[in-house]
Amino acid sequence: MSEIESRLIENRVFFPNSEFAKNAKLSDMSEYLAMCQLSNENYEQFWAQLAREFLIWHSPFTSILNDQNPPFYKWFEDGSLNASYNCIDRHVRSGNGDNVALIFESDDGKIESVSYNTLLVKVCKFSNALIKKGYKKGDRAIIYMPMSIEGVVSMQACARLGITHSVVFGGFSSKSLEERIIDVGAKLIITADEQVRGGKNIPLKKAVDEALSGEASRNVKDVIVYRRTGAEVEMSSRDVFLEEIVESEEDYCEPVFVESEHPLFVLYTSGSTGRPKGIQHSTGGYLLHSVLTMFYTFDIKTDDIFWCTADIGWITGHTYVAYGPLATGNTQIIFEGVPTFPDAGRFWQMIEKHGVSIFYTAPTAIRALIKASSLDNDVSPENYNLTSLRLLGTVGEPINPEAWIWYYENVGGSRCPIVDTFWQTETGGHVITPMPGATPLIPGSCTLPFPGIDAAVVDETGQELPNGKGGMLVIRKPWPSMIRTIWGDPERFKKTYFPIELGGKLYLAGDGSIRDEKYGYFTIMGRIDDVLNISGHRLGTMEIESALVAYEDVAEAAVVGKPDAITGESIVAFVVLKSKRPENFEEISEKAKVLQNWVAMEIGPIAKPKEIRFGDNLPKTRSGKIMRRLLRALAKGEEIQQDVSTLENPAILEQLSSGK
């Protein structure tokens, strides 16, 4: 494999704010390096010490890492604990039960708050109801819920009893839901009548009924329905309303203490081919990293108001909504709606209203709000009091440098560090991320590994590449929160994440990366399967996208390749402008030429898109992820045969198919 070339140079460096650093968990790079040194000197003891310090164990562990059967690693396997106890009971027992745990803001702006005491009662009542229905440790439940207090309660109740949960994002179709019910072998489904997003009521119970119309119904005993809107829904003999089954239950339920390796949840991710992959996570190792990253990446304090905008249907909503902020005993915001309803100032308004101090969102959302602010100054962050913020974060995909700068200046007031976090469903929590009080920040770079994570950039044989050379991102040592297997498919797990070509012991992230020569910082260059080969030059899509977005009139861009008879591949760029989309041939040609020349100037002629298509937006899932596989099909002129029911905006496909 020839190396993945990096041609976009970023020279701007932002050093930690001295006031922030003074009170940070890690206040300078020497403290970060000292933690890394500890992990290098005695890797297992490093993790063991943190596990004993940050988690409450029912039975202490004596075994730290069992690596006898790689890549099926086990951590703390003879210890037992309960995730729900660590998230709720520990704070109540320490006298902090009156502290606010969750502040829920609905789509229409109504607010409901619950304390840790109240949350414990809600979780216990639900747990007791599940016990009465015969559910126990080892059973599996599907949770298909809106963003809500009840969604978190459902996850915590399952965790309390050792029921392995699999949350399905409420935007997924009944077909996707059916596949997951079958694959995980769920006996129980927890859902709602409807969810509300952007002023629209979206049926959930109806989708469950459709999913259970065939094979999926075979093992399902109960469907528990939360009345979110009060809409009329069909109820069969196995269906029951949530409020009815919890009403008469006791306020306390003893937690079921499970072994550290007990599957806490299975979360499905889309595979590039074949059926979705059920990513299985343990209880102890996963929970440990949730707490550690809250503590170190977010530098969490007892009085912080934390807001992660992710849905519980995704890994970010698991680690940084349902588990991490509760395990650290913080107050957090849960938001039902979307950032652009009733207008694109909703995020800023909520930060001001709730006094949010830590804000964690996706680059996709940031870029959409940049465009909205450029079109309507009334929704610009400058019109809101955002002085409560002390830390910003990004998640889900690499953030291009210009969006980073806008976020830093306009939302963070040029005072808040930005933690650009790289991690995956499979890693459980952040694996490469700045330490906000210590790490100098470079826009577009996720900087350095979390202490204890042995990340590297390698070639196709698994040999580490020198800094400045792009290749494949791997993690060389097992870590506690890593994926344990793909549910029901251990061979696929090994082949996908620990390929024999790399020796069978390196975790393959599936992303291209490069470390800069000066700092050794990691920059993610896009998925390996998104690497373009232009006349023998391997280019990461992320760099080209960043160059496009650096142009003043570009709000968002996505780049894919398509076969080319001369160059092997050519570059097709899908672009959303801040200004009005060009519509006639002359306008399109003129704008495309400007952007082509811009990319050539920013990166080099080799990276110049051969074709640029303009759209009002890009095809995205309801969680905000760009559907790049659809873009690749559009670029090639192929008919879309994939399920597009999860798209937020399916109509955009026709617009982008020709670029007109």
PDB file of all heavy atoms in Angstrom, residues 458-479:
ATOM      1  N   VAL A 458      -0.145   2.747  10.784  1.00  0.00           N
ATOM      2  CA  VAL A 458       0.646   1.652  10.212  1.00  0.00           C
ATOM      3  C   VAL A 458       0.358   1.492   8.724  1.00  0.00           C
ATOM      4  O   VAL A 458      -0.634   2.000   8.204  1.00  0.00           O
ATOM      5  CB  VAL A 458       0.349   0.313  10.936  1.00  0.00           C
ATOM      6  CG1 VAL A 458       0.638   0.427  12.422  1.00  0.00           C
ATOM      7  CG2 VAL A 458      -1.109  -0.137  10.705  1.00  0.00           C
ATOM      8  N   ASP A 459       1.257   0.731   8.075  1.00  0.00           N
ATOM      9  CA  ASP A 459       1.022   0.383   6.670  1.00  0.00           C
ATOM     10  C   ASP A 459       0.249  -0.924   6.602  1.00  0.00           C
ATOM     11  O   ASP A 459      -0.188  -1.465   7.637  1.00  0.00           O
ATOM     12  CB  ASP A 459       2.345   0.309   5.895  1.00  0.00           C
ATOM     13  CG  ASP A 459       3.272  -0.816   6.394  1.00  0.00           C
ATOM     14  OD1 ASP A 459       2.807  -1.738   7.119  1.00  0.00           O
ATOM     15  OD2 ASP A 459       4.466  -0.779   6.048  1.00  0.00           O
ATOM     16  N   GLU A 460       0.100  -1.475   5.413  1.00  0.00           N
ATOM     17  CA  GLU A 460      -0.756  -2.646   5.229  1.00  0.00           C
ATOM     18  C   GLU A 460      -0.186  -3.924   5.846  1.00  0.00           C
ATOM     19  O   GLU A 460      -0.871  -4.929   5.973  1.00  0.00           O
ATOM     20  CB  GLU A 460      -1.006  -2.880   3.737  1.00  0.00           C
ATOM     21  CG  GLU A 460       0.271  -3.162   2.942  1.00  0.00           C
ATOM     22  CD  GLU A 460       0.034  -3.233   1.464  1.00  0.00           C
ATOM     23  OE1 GLU A 460      -1.120  -3.136   1.038  1.00  0.00           O
ATOM     24  OE2 GLU A 460       1.005  -3.370   0.728  1.00  0.00           O
ATOM     25  N   THR A 461       1.064  -3.879   6.267  1.00  0.00           N
ATOM     26  CA  THR A 461       1.658  -5.038   6.931  1.00  0.00           C
ATOM     27  C   THR A 461       1.634  -4.914   8.453  1.00  0.00           C
ATOM     28  O   THR A 461       2.077  -5.819   9.164  1.00  0.00           O
ATOM     29  CB  THR A 461       3.110  -5.245   6.486  1.00  0.00           C
ATOM     30  OG1 THR A 461       3.920  -4.159   6.960  1.00  0.00           O
ATOM     31  CG2 THR A 461       3.207  -5.322   4.962  1.00  0.00           C
ATOM     32  N   GLY A 462       1.135  -3.754   8.948  1.00  0.00           N
ATOM     33  CA  GLY A 462       1.112  -3.525  10.381  1.00  0.00           C
ATOM     34  C   GLY A 462       2.339  -2.829  10.931  1.00  0.00           C
ATOM     35  O   GLY A 462       2.481  -2.663  12.145  1.00  0.00           O
ATOM     36  N   GLN A 463       3.259  -2.395  10.052  1.00  0.00           N
ATOM     37  CA  GLN A 463       4.461  -1.689  10.482  1.00  0.00           C
ATOM     38  C   GLN A 463       4.149  -0.213  10.713  1.00  0.00           C
ATOM     39  O   GLN A 463       3.513   0.414   9.870  1.00  0.00           O
ATOM     40  CB  GLN A 463       5.571  -1.832   9.439  1.00  0.00           C
ATOM     41  CG  GLN A 463       6.057  -3.263   9.250  1.00  0.00           C
ATOM     42  CD  GLN A 463       6.601  -3.860  10.522  1.00  0.00           C
ATOM     43  OE1 GLN A 463       7.510  -3.321  11.161  1.00  0.00           O
ATOM     44  NE2 GLN A 463       6.028  -5.007  10.916  1.00  0.00           N
ATOM     45  N   GLU A 464       4.627   0.303  11.842  1.00  0.00           N
ATOM     46  CA  GLU A 464       4.352   1.704  12.161  1.00  0.00           C
ATOM     47  C   GLU A 464       5.052   2.620  11.172  1.00  0.00           C
ATOM     48  O   GLU A 464       6.209   2.408  10.805  1.00  0.00           O
ATOM     49  CB  GLU A 464       4.807   2.037  13.584  1.00  0.00           C
ATOM     50  CG  GLU A 464       4.404   3.439  14.016  1.00  0.00           C
ATOM     51  CD  GLU A 464       4.616   3.707  15.488  1.00  0.00           C
ATOM     52  OE1 GLU A 464       5.246   2.858  16.169  1.00  0.00           O
ATOM     53  OE2 GLU A 464       4.141   4.741  15.987  1.00  0.00           O
ATOM     54  N   LEU A 465       4.320   3.647  10.732  1.00  0.00           N
ATOM     55  CA  LEU A 465       4.854   4.631   9.801  1.00  0.00           C
ATOM     56  C   LEU A 465       5.410   5.831  10.562  1.00  0.00           C
ATOM     57  O   LEU A 465       4.903   6.178  11.639  1.00  0.00           O
ATOM     58  CB  LEU A 465       3.758   5.095   8.836  1.00  0.00           C
ATOM     59  CG  LEU A 465       3.262   4.038   7.835  1.00  0.00           C
ATOM     60  CD1 LEU A 465       1.964   4.501   7.174  1.00  0.00           C
ATOM     61  CD2 LEU A 465       4.317   3.765   6.772  1.00  0.00           C
ATOM     62  N   PRO A 466       6.425   6.489  10.019  1.00  0.00           N
ATOM     63  CA  PRO A 466       6.944   7.676  10.690  1.00  0.00           C
ATOM     64  C   PRO A 466       5.947   8.825  10.645  1.00  0.00           C
ATOM     65  O   PRO A 466       5.059   8.857   9.788  1.00  0.00           O
ATOM     66  CB  PRO A 466       8.209   8.006   9.883  1.00  0.00           C
ATOM     67  CG  PRO A 466       7.982   7.397   8.531  1.00  0.00           C
ATOM     68  CD  PRO A 466       7.156   6.174   8.771  1.00  0.00           C
ATOM     69  N   ASN A 467       6.084   9.758  11.575  1.00  0.00           N
ATOM     70  CA  ASN A 467       5.231  10.949  11.563  1.00  0.00           C
ATOM     71  C   ASN A 467       5.348  11.656  10.216  1.00  0.00           C
ATOM     72  O   ASN A 467       6.425  11.739   9.637  1.00  0.00           O
ATOM     73  CB  ASN A 467       5.624  11.901  12.693  1.00  0.00           C
ATOM     74  CG  ASN A 467       5.297  11.324  14.059  1.00  0.00           C
ATOM     75  OD1 ASN A 467       4.685  10.258  14.182  1.00  0.00           O
ATOM     76  ND2 ASN A 467       5.686  12.024  15.112  1.00  0.00           N
ATOM     77  N   GLY A 468       4.224  12.157   9.740  1.00  0.00           N
ATOM     78  CA  GLY A 468       4.189  12.804   8.433  1.00  0.00           C
ATOM     79  C   GLY A 468       3.784  11.881   7.304  1.00  0.00           C
ATOM     80  O   GLY A 468       3.578  12.335   6.177  1.00  0.00           O
ATOM     81  N   LYS A 469       3.663  10.561   7.602  1.00  0.00           N
ATOM     82  CA  LYS A 469       3.239   9.586   6.606  1.00  0.00           C
ATOM     83  C   LYS A 469       1.850   9.066   6.983  1.00  0.00           C
ATOM     84  O   LYS A 469       1.632   8.587   8.085  1.00  0.00           O
ATOM     85  CB  LYS A 469       4.217   8.410   6.517  1.00  0.00           C
ATOM     86  CG  LYS A 469       5.665   8.819   6.220  1.00  0.00           C
ATOM     87  CD  LYS A 469       5.838   9.347   4.817  1.00  0.00           C
ATOM     88  CE  LYS A 469       7.300   9.634   4.507  1.00  0.00           C
ATOM     89  NZ  LYS A 469       7.476  10.226   3.153  1.00  0.00           N
ATOM     90  N   GLY A 470       0.912   9.138   6.045  1.00  0.00           N
ATOM     91  CA  GLY A 470      -0.442   8.695   6.318  1.00  0.00           C
ATOM     92  C   GLY A 470      -0.634   7.204   6.097  1.00  0.00           C
ATOM     93  O   GLY A 470      -0.034   6.613   5.190  1.00  0.00           O
ATOM     94  N   GLY A 471      -1.447   6.588   6.933  1.00  0.00           N
ATOM     95  CA  GLY A 471      -1.734   5.167   6.799  1.00  0.00           C
ATOM     96  C   GLY A 471      -2.997   4.792   7.547  1.00  0.00           C
ATOM     97  O   GLY A 471      -3.923   5.607   7.674  1.00  0.00           O
ATOM     98  N   MET A 472      -3.021   3.580   8.070  1.00  0.00           N
ATOM     99  CA  MET A 472      -4.204   3.068   8.759  1.00  0.00           C
ATOM    100  C   MET A 472      -4.057   3.246  10.268  1.00  0.00           C
ATOM    101  O   MET A 472      -3.003   2.981  10.842  1.00  0.00           O
ATOM    102  CB  MET A 472      -4.406   1.586   8.440  1.00  0.00           C
ATOM    103  CG  MET A 472      -4.654   1.307   6.965  1.00  0.00           C
ATOM    104  SD  MET A 472      -4.972  -0.434   6.615  1.00  0.00           S
ATOM    105  CE  MET A 472      -3.388  -1.172   6.967  1.00  0.00           C
ATOM    106  N   LEU A 473      -5.134   3.686  10.912  1.00  0.00           N
ATOM    107  CA  LEU A 473      -5.131   3.872  12.358  1.00  0.00           C
ATOM    108  C   LEU A 473      -5.410   2.536  13.048  1.00  0.00           C
ATOM    109  O   LEU A 473      -6.376   1.849  12.733  1.00  0.00           O
ATOM    110  CB  LEU A 473      -6.191   4.899  12.755  1.00  0.00           C
ATOM    111  CG  LEU A 473      -6.323   5.184  14.257  1.00  0.00           C
ATOM    112  CD1 LEU A 473      -5.052   5.815  14.802  1.00  0.00           C
ATOM    113  CD2 LEU A 473      -7.510   6.109  14.515  1.00  0.00           C
ATOM    114  N   VAL A 474      -4.549   2.187  14.011  1.00  0.00           N
ATOM    115  CA  VAL A 474      -4.741   0.964  14.789  1.00  0.00           C
ATOM    116  C   VAL A 474      -4.535   1.274  16.266  1.00  0.00           C
ATOM    117  O   VAL A 474      -3.954   2.295  16.629  1.00  0.00           O
ATOM    118  CB  VAL A 474      -3.760  -0.165  14.365  1.00  0.00           C
ATOM    119  CG1 VAL A 474      -3.981  -0.562  12.918  1.00  0.00           C
ATOM    120  CG2 VAL A 474      -2.306   0.245  14.609  1.00  0.00           C
ATOM    121  N   ILE A 475      -5.014   0.370  17.121  1.00  0.00           N
ATOM    122  CA  ILE A 475      -4.702   0.395  18.547  1.00  0.00           C
ATOM    123  C   ILE A 475      -4.014  -0.929  18.860  1.00  0.00           C
ATOM    124  O   ILE A 475      -4.534  -2.007  18.560  1.00  0.00           O
ATOM    125  CB  ILE A 475      -5.953   0.611  19.414  1.00  0.00           C
ATOM    126  CG1 ILE A 475      -6.611   1.956  19.033  1.00  0.00           C
ATOM    127  CG2 ILE A 475      -5.592   0.612  20.892  1.00  0.00           C
ATOM    128  CD1 ILE A 475      -7.918   2.236  19.752  1.00  0.00           C
ATOM    129  N   ARG A 476      -2.814  -0.831  19.460  1.00  0.00           N
ATOM    130  CA  ARG A 476      -1.941  -2.006  19.559  1.00  0.00           C
ATOM    131  C   ARG A 476      -2.134  -2.846  20.810  1.00  0.00           C
ATOM    132  O   ARG A 476      -1.689  -3.984  20.859  1.00  0.00           O
ATOM    133  CB  ARG A 476      -0.481  -1.558  19.437  1.00  0.00           C
ATOM    134  CG  ARG A 476      -0.145  -0.983  18.061  1.00  0.00           C
ATOM    135  CD  ARG A 476       1.309  -0.577  17.941  1.00  0.00           C
ATOM    136  NE  ARG A 476       1.620   0.607  18.733  1.00  0.00           N
ATOM    137  CZ  ARG A 476       2.671   1.371  18.533  1.00  0.00           C
ATOM    138  NH1 ARG A 476       3.530   1.085  17.566  1.00  0.00           N
ATOM    139  NH2 ARG A 476       2.895   2.438  19.298  1.00  0.00           N
ATOM    140  N   LYS A 477      -2.737  -2.274  21.841  1.00  0.00           N
ATOM    141  CA  LYS A 477      -2.968  -3.035  23.064  1.00  0.00           C
ATOM    142  C   LYS A 477      -4.459  -3.055  23.375  1.00  0.00           C
ATOM    143  O   LYS A 477      -5.163  -2.074  23.092  1.00  0.00           O
ATOM    144  CB  LYS A 477      -2.231  -2.401  24.250  1.00  0.00           C
ATOM    145  CG  LYS A 477      -0.721  -2.463  24.174  1.00  0.00           C
ATOM    146  CD  LYS A 477      -0.115  -1.777  25.398  1.00  0.00           C
ATOM    147  CE  LYS A 477       1.401  -1.729  25.332  1.00  0.00           C
ATOM    148  NZ  LYS A 477       1.975  -0.946  26.461  1.00  0.00           N
ATOM    149  N   PRO A 478      -4.960  -4.131  23.980  1.00  0.00           N
ATOM    150  CA  PRO A 478      -6.365  -4.133  24.391  1.00  0.00           C
ATOM    151  C   PRO A 478      -6.600  -3.087  25.475  1.00  0.00           C
ATOM    152  O   PRO A 478      -5.689  -2.763  26.240  1.00  0.00           O
ATOM    153  CB  PRO A 478      -6.570  -5.550  24.943  1.00  0.00           C
ATOM    154  CG  PRO A 478      -5.195  -6.016  25.316  1.00  0.00           C
ATOM    155  CD  PRO A 478      -4.248  -5.373  24.353  1.00  0.00           C
ATOM    156  N   TRP A 479      -7.798  -2.567  25.566  1.00  0.00           N
ATOM    157  CA  TRP A 479      -8.151  -1.586  26.596  1.00  0.00           C
ATOM    158  C   TRP A 479      -9.534  -1.951  27.152  1.00  0.00           C
ATOM    159  O   TRP A 479     -10.323  -2.641  26.501  1.00  0.00           O
ATOM    160  CB  TRP A 479      -8.102  -0.157  26.033  1.00  0.00           C
ATOM    161  CG  TRP A 479      -9.168   0.177  25.009  1.00  0.00           C
ATOM    162  CD1 TRP A 479     -10.300   0.885  25.210  1.00  0.00           C
ATOM    163  CD2 TRP A 479      -9.174  -0.225  23.621  1.00  0.00           C
ATOM    164  NE1 TRP A 479     -11.025   0.970  24.035  1.00  0.00           N
ATOM    165  CE2 TRP A 479     -10.363   0.298  23.052  1.00  0.00           C
ATOM    166  CE3 TRP A 479      -8.312  -0.961  22.801  1.00  0.00           C
ATOM    167  CZ2 TRP A 479     -10.700   0.105  21.717  1.00  0.00           C
ATOM    168  CZ3 TRP A 479      -8.659  -1.156  21.463  1.00  0.00           C
ATOM    169  CH2 TRP A 479      -9.837  -0.621  20.941  1.00  0.00           C
TER     170      TRP A 479
END
